[in-house]
Amino acid sequence: MTITQVPGTYNIVGSNQDKNGIAYKGVLELALNEHNRIVAKWLINDTQEQLGTGFFKDNILVINFNYKGEDTKLYKGVAVYKCITKDLLDGFWSEKHGNPLYLGEERCYRVSTQQRELVN
């Protein structure tokens, strides 16, 4: 897989970085900037926006992300995805102040162009 195949829209299913692994759903938008670095934007459960930047090598995608919590504090973390195919990413993530005994998990499924047109 090449870096130019990574950009797109992905539906995500994940679990949080805690003992209960509370599930969530969302959308991940991946794009490339002028330096061929990854620019990411998550929308979790239709309410929480997270932003990140990262890089891609050997079918591994690494993104440093941040978001403002409900308490207005800035939270930071890193997400790591293995690109199983161009349409499937399998990953894990951790926040700086999350429970160090656990990792969050996320699976990302590319939304086809036809699916995007049906939504719009």
Side-chain angles (χ1 to χ4, degrees):
M1 191 166 163
T2 66
I3 193 167
T4 58
Q5 294 173 303
V6 173
T9 302
Y10 298 81
N11 287 321
I12 56 174
V13 177
S15 59
N16 282 322
Q17 182 187 352
D18 56 29
K19 181 179 180 179
N20 300 322
I22 297 170
Y24 61 85
K25 292 183 179 182
V27 176
L28 171 61
E29 297 273 348
L30 297 175
L32 291 177
N33 70 13
E34 66 276 8
H35 304 292
N36 264 357
R37 294 293 188 192
I38 299 293
V39 178
K41 180 177 161 184
W42 290 262
L43 184 59
I44 306 299
N45 291 334
D46 293 321
T47 58
Q48 184 183 77
E49 185 176 85
Q50 300 183 7
L51 303 173
T53 58
F55 49 92
F56 175 83
K57 183 174 179 174
D58 296 331
N59 290 340
I60 302 293
L61 177 59
V62 178
I63 303 172
N64 293 300
F65 67 89
N66 65 75
Y67 66 95
K68 278 194 178 179
E70 291 175 3
D71 57 6
T72 69
K73 291 182 183 176
L74 186 64
Y75 291 87
K76 297 179 181 183
V78 64
V80 179
Y81 299 97
K82 181 193 286 187
C83 300
I84 307 297
T85 70
K86 69 178 186 63
D87 297 325
L88 176 62
L89 310 178
D90 189 38
F92 59 93
W93 56 269
S94 180
E95 289 183 10
K96 181 177 180 182
H97 297 293
N99 188 330
L101 299 176
Y102 303 96
L103 291 172
E105 295 185 5
E106 210 164 81
R107 214 150 219 225
C108 309
Y109 304 88
R110 185 183 299 270
V111 176
S112 71
T113 304
Q114 186 178 25
Q115 287 172 313
R116 282 195 301 266
E117 288 171 356
L118 291 174
V119 172
N120 293 328

